Amino acid sequence: MEERKKTAREIIEGYQGPPVRIMEVCGTHTHEIFRLGIRKLLPPQVELISGPGCPVCVTPVSFIDEAIYLALEKQVTICTFGDLVRVPGSQMSLAGAREKGAKIHIVYSPADAEKYAKDHPEEQVTFLSVGFETTTPAGCLSVKQAKEDGISNYSLLVANKTMPGAYEALKGSADVFLYPGHVNAITGTKLCEELAKEGVSGVVAGFTAKELLTALAVALARFQEGRPFFVNCYPRVVTENGSPQAQKLVEEMMEPCDSEWRGLGVIKGSGMRLQEEWSAFDARKKYKIPPIQGKANPACRCGDVLQGKCKPSDCKVFGKVCTPQHPVGACMVSGEGACSAYYMYGEAEKMK
């Protein structure tokens, strides 16, 4: 009789291989794995650690300070995703700036921000553009639309980043990367395949229970073989070449630059900025923002969490001084943050 193939869950629960650290690069993966109860299935020698895949979390304090400068000193209306409003800057958050009279407008996309600028010609409007390869094309499209609409009161404060440099910086921090499916949907899989040739193992994962269990089961099965590997476990969305249209749009409008990542420092060529042709929509140039050196709260260990050096619950202020209601760091604010995931799914209760 033909032997029945094991299910993904059976492979995970029955893993008897060597200790393995798997980094959830994507913050959404962290939350979904907690929410679905997948961590409870893992044998003790399998450790999941968080990585730098939450765009709000890796955005440095200096970016928040720049946004506050625009809002308070230049009276610019700031359009932003909701998560960024409560991220602490050096002196205050955007929520604090709003209490001082700053105009902070929550939007759900760069297109919403551009439309707001078009509908409010009497206001100068800046969209806080954060994110990875997934969201950068939308920011570019909003600038193109602003030019087509002939409006001059719209700009981007850009903190978009690309993942390749982060993967290089994180080499050796984990045994296997759980790559973010939505980023790879844009970039394709070529980079991951190249990293495997350099000794960096990883699997691209989707976001459903079945997709996450499959990716983890494949990662454990391949890890036991003892050779670097890459497997695309999200083929219904991720292809080898990704989205050529999105890649072309970004290449036409933006260029690489050095960028600061919370916890990882400055990574060469890992940031994006508008090309000179589009400089009228670059808030840093438009408003001549001076160099700003942000100062993070020294009690916050977000940087260590984002590098996989510690778990959120290892931080002394986690669940005590730092809570979702009163966050000390960005990882507790963001809906994709590791600290908010650990807090939401019970780690704070265990510490009481």
Side-chain angles (χ1 to χ4, degrees):
M1 182 181 294
E2 186 177 346
E3 186 178 352
R4 181 181 67 86
K5 290 184 178 180
K6 291 183 179 180
T7 65
R9 177 169 179 164
E10 287 171 341
I11 292 171
I12 293 169
E13 291 182 321
Y15 178 75
Q16 296 181 347
V20 55
R21 302 179 87 220
I22 301 175
M23 177 175 279
E24 313 141 339
V25 175
C26 173
T28 303
H29 281 157
T30 300
H31 276 257
E32 284 302 289
I33 287 171
F34 262 120
R35 187 182 70 82
L36 295 166
I38 292 175
R39 283 175 174 264
K40 297 175 183 178
L41 306 179
L42 302 177
Q45 71 270 39
V46 179
E47 181 182 7
L48 293 182
I49 57 176
S50 299
C54 165
V56 171
C57 300
V58 297
T59 299
V61 172
S62 57
F63 180 80
I64 303 299
D65 293 345
E66 287 179 312
I68 291 171
Y69 171 85
L70 288 177
L72 293 179
E73 301 298 327
K74 298 296 184 179
Q75 288 73 56
V76 172
T77 297
I78 299 297
C79 285
T80 178
F81 299 134
D83 279 0
L84 277 172
V85 174
R86 297 172 61 242
V87 174
S90 295
Q91 303 297 327
M92 69 185 83
S93 64
L94 286 166
R98 184 165 54 193
E99 292 174 359
K100 293 180 177 292
K103 193 159 188 178
I104 312 297
H105 183 66
I106 306 299
V107 295
Y108 295 98
S109 71
D112 291 343
E114 191 273 340
K115 185 178 185 301
Y116 181 91
K118 184 179 179 181
D119 293 343
H120 298 79
E122 74 284 1
E123 299 179 32
Q124 290 295 319
V125 178
T126 294
F127 174 69
L128 304 187
S129 185
V130 303
F132 304 118
E133 289 90 340
T134 319
T135 56
T136 305
C140 291
L141 284 174
S142 74
V143 169
K144 267 196 168 182
Q145 188 63 50
K147 188 172 184 179
E148 289 177 14
D149 290 339
I151 62 174
S152 59
N153 64 326
Y154 180 67
S155 62
L156 300 183
L157 184 63
V158 180
N160 293 84
K161 303 181 189 300
T162 55
M163 290 305 300
Y167 293 141
E168 291 289 338
L170 288 165
K171 277 184 178 179
S173 60
D175 299 303
V176 182
F177 285 137
L178 198 64
Y179 290 121
H182 47 260
V183 169
N184 287 97
I186 301 295
T187 64
T189 60
K190 291 180 180 177
L191 170 65
C192 303
E193 291 164 6
E194 289 300 317
L195 286 170
K197 294 176 183 177
E198 297 173 19
V200 178
S201 295
V203 294
V204 176
F207 301 91
T208 66
K210 182 178 180 181
E211 288 164 344
L212 284 165
L213 286 170
T214 297
L216 288 169
V218 169
L220 294 177
R222 293 295 300 271
F223 182 72
Q224 289 186 85
E225 295 175 4
R227 298 186 300 275
F229 61 89
F230 166 71
V231 181
N232 178 11
C233 295
Y234 197 28
R236 69 183 179 89
V237 173
V238 175
T239 63
E240 181 181 3
N241 295 319
S243 172
Q245 297 90 342
Q247 295 168 20
K248 182 180 179 183
L249 173 66
V250 174
E251 288 171 4
E252 288 175 349
M253 296 185 63
M254 289 196 168
E255 61 189 12
C257 63
D258 296 346
S259 182
E260 181 184 354
W261 297 58
R262 188 189 299 264
L264 299 178
V266 175
I267 300 178
K268 288 185 176 297
S270 67
M272 301 299 291
R273 65 186 173 201
L274 288 165
Q275 294 180 17
E276 187 61 34
E277 176 187 350
W278 302 93
S279 60
F281 298 93
D282 184 333
R284 290 189 179 90
K285 294 180 179 178
K286 183 175 183 177
Y287 300 105
K288 298 181 173 59
I289 300 177
I292 295 177
Q293 189 71 38
K295 295 180 181 178
N297 188 319
C300 175
R301 295 193 67 186
C302 273
D304 290 337
V305 170
L306 293 167
Q307 296 177 77
K309 290 183 176 180
C310 76
K311 294 180 179 179
S313 49
D314 295 330
C315 179
K316 291 182 179 179
V317 299
F318 173 81
K320 298 169 185 169
V321 177
C322 184
T323 66
Q325 292 74 34
H326 301 284
V328 172
C331 296
M332 185 63 87
V333 177
S334 172
E336 296 182 5
C339 294
S340 68
Y342 273 68
Y343 189 92
M344 184 183 304
Y345 295 103
E347 289 297 317
E349 291 299 320
K350 295 177 185 176
M351 298 171 61
K352 291 180 180 179

